[in-house]
Amino acid sequence: MKNSISIDPNTLSTKKLHSILLSAVAPRPIALASTVNNKGIVNLSPFSFFNVFSANPPILIFSPARRVRDNTTKHTLENVENTKEVVINIVNFPIVEQVSLSSTEYEEGVNEFIKSGLTEVPSEKIKPPRVQESPISFECVVDNIIHLGHEGGAGNLVICKVVQIHINNEYLDADDNIDTKKLDLVARLGANWYTRITEESLFEIPKPIFTKGIGVDKLPKHIFSTSVLSGNNIGRLGNYKGIPTTQEIEESKILPEVVKVLSIKDNQEKLEALHKIVKLHLENDNLDIAIKILFCL
Ligand SMILES: Cc1cc2nc3c(=O)[nH]c(=O)nc-3n(C[C@H](O)[C@H](O)[C@H](O)COP(=O)(O)O)c2cc1C
């Protein structure tokens, strides 16, 4: 393909590869990890190589990597290797600047709670304290640590089993479920970029679980003949539960907006006009009507 570049990762410096991977695999949620060392001194640092991987057992994994710069390891890694305990605190917008400050590479033994101004709250089942200002905190015991290499940039997967969960009431809805609209989560992208999940940035896609979508291959082939319908429009149409019946299609053909389009003489013009109506119905969440109109040609 002419419109892309193709790269063998072995030909790149670790710095360049790191930059490509972190810009491409984004946004990443941020784990604010609080640990203690053998002497009980607290450490707090953020990690965006982080996600949930299992609900039963409840497993979170994050990765304090070897520094690309000088191949040294992070205090958090040393602490979890020694004590096998960590609190993973979720990061939202109101604390993101303090979280960034806590990533400063202070000397061993410096408590980043104090440096960042975040507040320690004793945990119930493990030694490291949790962050009071975090919306949700997971007390975890470390099941296993997988070292992915010995050179700068190598990750270390810290596999954490959740043993206690704390959710600030402020972020719950009336049914005690976490309210995504209230959470105000942030995530990390490439370079110094972050993103914020606001109500305006949220959208829903119905899950194709209860019904099997008919698939794009079962839609009329003319969907590919105009530039009116986007990939997302076509995906939504292919997610519909069944091909409309002949009767449903005939009923759609007498809708005034469709009659008008079907009377257009030029075939290409007719197709584009029909796709525009379909698109409009999709944008108004009327998939039922959109799919029937699509089959009118
Ligand atoms: C938002 C954010 C995300 C980060 N994610 C990671 C990460 O996933 N892995 C990593 O090794 N370092 C990451 N860092 C850098 C560490 O937080 C930083 O090296 C920190 O000083 C490590 O502290 P420690 O030595 O006390 O463990 C991140 C920094 C920020 C600000």
Side-chain angles (χ1 to χ4, degrees), residues 115-130:
K115 285 289 175 195
S116 63
L118 291 166
T119 314
E120 290 182 26
V121 177
S123 288
E124 288 175 18
K125 298 193 174 156
I126 59 173
K127 284 199 200 76
R130 64 187 169 94

Side-chain angles (χ1 to χ4, degrees), residues 105-164:
E105 290 174 9
Y106 293 112
E107 307 70 47
E108 148 107 86
V110 170
N111 179 347
E112 287 92 358
F113 270 95
I114 295 169
K115 285 289 175 195
S116 63
L118 291 166
T119 314
E120 290 182 26
V121 177
S123 288
E124 288 175 18
K125 298 193 174 156
I126 59 173
K127 284 199 200 76
R130 64 187 169 94
V131 175
Q132 181 178 287
E133 293 81 356
S134 168
I136 304 159
S137 299
F138 297 99
E139 294 184 29
C140 303
V141 293
V142 175
D143 251 6
N144 195 5
I145 300 175
I146 301 176
H147 305 284
L148 300 176
H150 302 286
E151 290 176 28
N156 300 283
L157 306 186
V158 182
I159 302 177
C160 308
K161 187 168 166 192
V162 178
V163 293
Q164 193 73 12

Side-chain angles (χ1 to χ4, degrees), residues 27-245:
R28 298 178 304 283
I30 304 169
L32 182 57
S34 92
T35 54
V36 294
N37 69 9
N38 278 336
K39 294 180 196 142
I41 295 173
V42 176
N43 188 287
L44 186 68
S45 299
F47 297 94
S48 69
F49 293 174
F50 163 60
N51 223 304
V52 52
F53 290 89
S54 168
N56 184 19
I59 299 290
L60 310 178
I61 301 181
F62 73 100
S63 172
R66 287 174 167 273
R67 289 188 179 87
V68 176
R69 189 177 65 238
D70 55 11
N71 195 18
T72 51
T73 53
K74 315 245 162 134
H75 296 137
T76 302
L77 179 63
E78 289 151 27
N79 289 353
V80 288
E81 274 174 336
N82 290 330
T83 65
K84 304 274 188 277
E85 291 181 341
V86 55
V87 182
I88 292 184
N89 302 279
I90 296 302
V91 176
N92 67 354
F93 187 74
I95 59 172
V96 69
E97 292 276 354
Q98 285 170 289
V99 169
S100 170
L101 179 57
S102 77
S103 79
T104 308
E105 290 174 9
Y106 293 112
E107 307 70 47
E108 148 107 86
V110 170
N111 179 347
E112 287 92 358
F113 270 95
I114 295 169
K115 285 289 175 195
S116 63
L118 291 166
T119 314
E120 290 182 26
V121 177
S123 288
E124 288 175 18
K125 298 193 174 156
I126 59 173
K127 284 199 200 76
R130 64 187 169 94
V131 175
Q132 181 178 287
E133 293 81 356
S134 168
I136 304 159
S137 299
F138 297 99
E139 294 184 29
C140 303
V141 293
V142 175
D143 251 6
N144 195 5
I145 300 175
I146 301 176
H147 305 284
L148 300 176
H150 302 286
E151 290 176 28
N156 300 283
L157 306 186
V158 182
I159 302 177
C160 308
K161 187 168 166 192
V162 178
V163 293
Q164 193 73 12
I165 303 171
H166 305 271
I167 309 172
N168 184 325
N169 287 333
E170 211 183 300
Y171 302 101
L172 293 174
D173 64 17
D175 301 320
D176 277 356
N177 292 316
I178 293 174
D179 187 341
T180 297
K181 289 181 190 156
K182 288 184 186 159
L183 262 186
D184 206 359
L185 289 172
V186 288
R188 189 82 195 264
L189 300 97
N192 286 337
W193 295 108
Y194 288 74
T195 188
R196 179 179 183 182
I197 308 302
T198 58
E199 200 164 339
E200 300 76 58
S201 70
L202 288 168
F203 61 94
E204 286 185 284
I205 298 182
K207 282 192 194 120
I209 288 182
F210 302 110
T211 55
K212 249 186 226 164
I214 54 174
V216 169
D217 57 320
K218 292 284 187 292
L219 298 175
K221 295 288 166 275
H222 61 70
I223 53 163
F224 298 111
S225 308
T226 76
S227 55
V228 174
L229 295 173
S230 67
N232 281 336
N233 294 152
I234 293 168
R236 180 60 73 94
L237 290 161
N239 210 357
Y240 194 65
K241 57 182 186 283
I243 295 174
T245 61

